[in-house]
């Protein structure tokens, strides 16, 4: 992307260096619009933002940057740690430690999603797990994860009724850490959880077949929670029996061919 490379070049030109807000806005646009980016450009902008006097920035600039790097797939633990350090130092300098949170909910939500993106798999080493927990502790100093106020999808109740008809064990939950879902099936054995969610039509206006970055990010996070089954929203007038017949093949495939471990 030419604009991104141009901004990186300006970072080295005295008097023409981009402002922190300009950097975070460009990264946010690249993430949401899923624009092609070069890792070197992303690294360059992030490094420059972290080198700027933090008094020139606002806290949301750092939160936007962390989230954007995660959505773009370029966030590294060391970068998030530096961004958190800058945020905490900026909050201390502004004497905001007495408040219940040092960030607004939108910024905290972005940072917790970025942290979730970096969460190591179960096979990770003890050192990786400890490093991630250290990041989690630093983020906790800035504020707790905002409560999820996501309304359940209108078709959630129908899906739960269909799962009951199929005699499947599930947790009816509208969200997983802030990500909209219909239900989660848990295995009685060692099988992975099956996350049931609805397809989203949140696409780019000029290309309806291309999801926006935040929706693609949502799906990627849900895939880390288990086997993801995306369903088309039920049509008006459809009953639980029809939904059960529609879902069962997808759930069976997600379970590896057998749903016995998920039965009541």
């Amino acid at each position: 992307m030419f604009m991104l490379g141009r901004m990186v070049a300006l970072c080295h030109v005295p008097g023409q260096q981009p402002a922190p807000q300009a950097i975070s806005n460009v990264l946010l646009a690249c993430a949401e619009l899923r624009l092609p980016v070069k890792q070197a450009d992303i690294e360059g902008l992030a490094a420059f933002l972290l080198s700027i006097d933090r008094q020139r920035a606002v806290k949301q600039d750092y939160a936007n940057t962390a989230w954007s790097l995660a959505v773009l797939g370029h966030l590294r633990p060391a970068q998030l740690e530096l961004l958190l350090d800058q945020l905490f130092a900026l909050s201390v300098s502004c004497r905001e430690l007495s408040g219940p949170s040092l960030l607004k909910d939108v910024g905290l939500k972005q940072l917790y999603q970025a942290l979730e993106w970096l969460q190591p798999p179960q096979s990770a080493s003890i050192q990786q797990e400890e490093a991630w927990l250290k990041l989690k502790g630093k983020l906790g100093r800035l504020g707790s994860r905002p409560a999820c106020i996501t309304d359940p999808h209108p078709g959630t109740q129908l899906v739960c009724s269909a799962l009951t008809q199929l005699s499947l064990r599930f947790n009816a939950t509208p969200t997983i850490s802030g990500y909209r879902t219909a239900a989660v099936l848990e295995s009685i054995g060692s099988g992975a959880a099956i996350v049931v969610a609805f397809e989203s039509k949140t696409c780019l206006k000029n290309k309806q077949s291309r999801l926006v970055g935040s929706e693609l990010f949502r799906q990627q996070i849900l895939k880390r929670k288990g086997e993801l089954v995306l369903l088309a929203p039920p049509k008006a007038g459809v009953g639980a029996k029809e939904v059960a017949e529609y879902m069962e093949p997808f759930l069976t495939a997600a379970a590896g061919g057998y749903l016995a471990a998920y039965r009541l």
Side-chain angles (χ1 to χ4, degrees), residues 107-174:
L108 281 170
K109 181 180 178 181
Q110 288 176 314
L111 291 169
Y112 273 99
Q113 288 186 352
L115 177 70
E116 200 158 28
W117 171 256
L118 291 175
Q119 185 170 8
Q122 293 183 349
S123 58
S125 66
I126 295 177
Q127 291 80 3
Q128 287 176 306
E129 184 67 26
E130 288 177 345
W132 185 81
L133 289 173
K134 179 183 176 183
L135 287 175
K136 185 177 181 180
K138 285 195 171 189
L139 180 50
R141 294 167 65 194
L142 291 169
S144 302
R145 185 166 197 149
C148 302
I149 315 177
T150 306
D151 294 329
H153 191 283
T156 296
Q157 186 173 353
L158 190 56
V159 165
C160 292
S161 297
L163 292 172
T164 299
Q165 285 201 7
L166 292 170
S167 299
L168 294 172
R169 180 184 293 100
F170 67 93
N171 291 325
T173 169

Side-chain angles (χ1 to χ4, degrees), residues 72-138:
L72 291 167
H74 290 290
L75 181 65
R76 294 182 288 104
Q79 289 172 320
L80 181 57
E81 183 170 15
L82 289 171
L83 287 165
L84 294 177
D85 287 343
Q86 290 287 76
L87 275 166
F88 191 76
L90 184 59
S91 298
V92 170
S93 67
C94 293
R95 298 184 179 180
E96 297 178 357
L97 287 175
S98 59
S101 171
L102 304 183
L103 274 172
K104 293 181 180 179
D105 280 0
V106 62
L108 281 170
K109 181 180 178 181
Q110 288 176 314
L111 291 169
Y112 273 99
Q113 288 186 352
L115 177 70
E116 200 158 28
W117 171 256
L118 291 175
Q119 185 170 8
Q122 293 183 349
S123 58
S125 66
I126 295 177
Q127 291 80 3
Q128 287 176 306
E129 184 67 26
E130 288 177 345
W132 185 81
L133 289 173
K134 179 183 176 183
L135 287 175
K136 185 177 181 180
K138 285 195 171 189

